[in-house]
Amino acid sequence: MRVPLPFYYLMIQGNNEMFDDVIHSFHKALSTKILDIPDSLKKADAGIDLCNNTLSQLKELIEKEDFENVPDEIEFFKNIKPCPMSYLIYFTEVRSCELRKPIAGDNFQLRFFEKELRKINKFFHKNNDFVHYMEQGHSYMDHQLFTRNHRKNFPFTPMINYYQYPEFSTSHDMLWSKVQAMYRFIHYVRESMQELRSGQKEIFKEKKHKVVVWSGSKTALVELIYALHATGDLNYGTADLNALISSFEDFFNIRLDNFYKTFSEIKARKGNRTKYLQNLILNLEAKMARDDEE
């Protein structure tokens, strides 16, 4: 059985078929063996092992057969490598928290997690320009950010520590991975704080839904929300656009600032104005075709 891949990988699947099996195996193991482990520390340890193994496999593939062109290189360092790398950073942060947090005292633990949230906010503030570039779905600087020839010539502050291997790193693939990891880490911190505040840990664990993180561009999400609003299928057509935006923000833990402006930019596109919706159709048709073949 094939495990569904994230949006940012489906967008480029097919151009880098040499990585498909590795990424599918990674997400299958993540979904079936790692994320359901109840103990946070054991889950983090198992996740770190899985991510390290996956990154090693990707590195070996590149050593055997390098990229045919620059677009393939950009796609790998922008969309494929960050899949396991972002989870490696996330699980490492979770493991660090589990080992460092106070043993006793809910108030002490709450203050510890509040400090972690301040660190996260500081990270996003420091890298605001880069985060904006990525989340708006831009690509005009990708040749500088996600190719190995431009490691010393970058427009945004890069991560200091690359993944130990210069030929397996660009100036910003690690930073992009950390951005994705921090969104997941926010969920971990908030859920930990909610458990402490509720005083009913077991009840909370039974009722909470699994974390879902929007890993596509904000522009794509705005396009999807406007499409749902236009159909009138939510609240029998009475759903307010602002209420929809707020609901999606809460569910995906994301901020959709200036969504009116974003929609104006979508309307101003030349040619196909509903790129994300068309991509949804193509990927669903492709999945049904694959299912028919199995």
Side-chain angles (χ1 to χ4, degrees):
M1 182 184 74
R2 285 285 201 177
V3 175
L5 295 179
F7 158 77
Y8 50 83
Y9 184 69
L10 285 172
M11 286 289 288
I12 48 82
Q13 189 179 7
N15 293 335
N16 285 289
E17 295 181 357
M18 61 187 288
F19 307 115
D20 284 357
D21 289 340
V22 175
I23 295 299
H24 274 293
S25 296
F26 169 74
H27 283 287
K28 183 177 181 180
L30 189 68
S31 300
T32 61
K33 298 179 180 179
I34 306 298
L35 295 181
D36 288 334
I37 298 176
D39 183 85
S40 294
L41 186 56
K42 292 180 179 178
K43 181 192 299 183
D45 286 336
I48 289 171
D49 286 342
L50 173 64
C51 294
N52 277 324
N53 290 335
T54 302
L55 287 165
S56 295
Q57 292 178 54
L58 292 175
K59 179 176 175 291
E60 289 176 4
L61 287 174
I62 290 178
E63 288 175 345
K64 292 178 181 178
E65 184 178 352
D66 207 348
F67 306 105
E68 294 183 359
N69 49 55
V70 171
D72 283 353
E73 182 178 6
I74 290 174
E75 287 172 354
F76 175 80
F77 287 109
K78 184 178 182 180
N79 299 305
I80 299 176
K81 181 187 171 186
C83 292
M85 178 58 72
S86 63
Y87 272 102
L88 176 61
I89 297 172
Y90 165 71
F91 285 127
T92 301
E93 293 290 338
V94 170
R95 185 178 189 277
S96 176
C97 264
E98 290 295 317
L99 293 175
R100 291 185 296 108
K101 72 180 181 182
I103 300 298
D106 288 355
N107 289 332
F108 289 111
Q109 293 185 12
L110 280 171
R111 284 197 289 271
F112 171 82
F113 285 118
E114 287 170 353
K115 186 176 180 180
E116 292 300 310
L117 284 179
R118 287 195 293 271
K119 291 179 182 177
I120 295 171
N121 287 330
K122 185 177 180 181
F123 165 79
F124 278 102
H125 177 73
K126 177 182 178 181
N127 298 288
N128 180 61
D129 289 340
F130 175 72
V131 173
H132 177 78
Y133 170 86
M134 296 300 297
E135 292 186 343
Q136 290 300 310
H138 296 313
S139 59
Y140 59 90
M141 288 190 293
D142 284 358
H143 65 288
Q144 291 178 270
L145 306 176
F146 298 107
T147 61
R148 292 161 295 179
N149 290 335
H150 290 84
R151 281 193 298 266
K152 296 181 180 180
N153 181 22
F154 34 78
F156 302 119
T157 303
M159 291 286 291
I160 300 295
N161 298 318
Y162 297 148
Y163 181 62
Q164 300 179 354
Y165 306 100
E167 293 307 311
F168 191 57
S169 301
T170 64
S171 65
H172 284 73
D173 66 86
M174 181 74 79
L175 181 56
W176 178 222
S177 299
K178 186 169 183 178
V179 170
Q180 297 176 48
M182 287 300 102
Y183 278 124
R184 297 188 188 103
F185 189 52
I186 289 171
H187 281 285
Y188 160 78
V189 174
R190 286 181 173 174
E191 288 182 353
S192 298
M193 294 175 72
Q194 189 167 346
E195 287 183 5
L196 291 168
R197 286 169 176 160
S198 69
Q200 299 176 341
K201 296 184 180 181
E202 293 305 316
I203 294 177
F204 177 74
K205 286 180 180 178
E206 290 175 4
K207 291 184 177 180
K208 71 180 182 181
H209 60 77
K210 289 188 176 181
V211 172
V212 179
V213 177
W214 181 261
S215 51
S217 71
K218 288 186 177 181
T219 301
L221 182 55
V222 169
E223 184 179 326
L224 177 61
I225 294 172
Y226 267 88
L228 291 171
H229 183 257
T231 64
D233 288 337
L234 301 174
N235 289 355
Y236 302 97
T238 64
D240 178 71
L241 183 60
N242 287 294
L244 285 182
I245 293 290
S246 297
S247 297
F248 275 81
E249 286 180 328
D250 291 341
F251 188 80
F252 290 120
N253 192 41
I254 192 172
R255 292 291 298 168
L256 296 173
D257 298 319
N258 300 320
F259 60 89
Y260 289 113
K261 180 182 177 183
T262 301
F263 185 59
S264 295
E265 293 172 350
I266 292 173
K267 291 193 296 182
R269 289 171 177 167
K270 295 181 180 179
N272 181 14
R273 297 196 292 181
T274 55
K275 293 191 295 185
Y276 180 62
L277 297 180
Q278 293 298 319
N279 188 67
L280 289 179
I281 295 172
L282 290 173
N283 280 289
L284 180 57
E285 292 282 1
K287 173 177 170 48
M288 289 190 289
R290 289 195 301 270
D291 290 347
D292 291 340
E293 293 173 358
E294 293 179 358

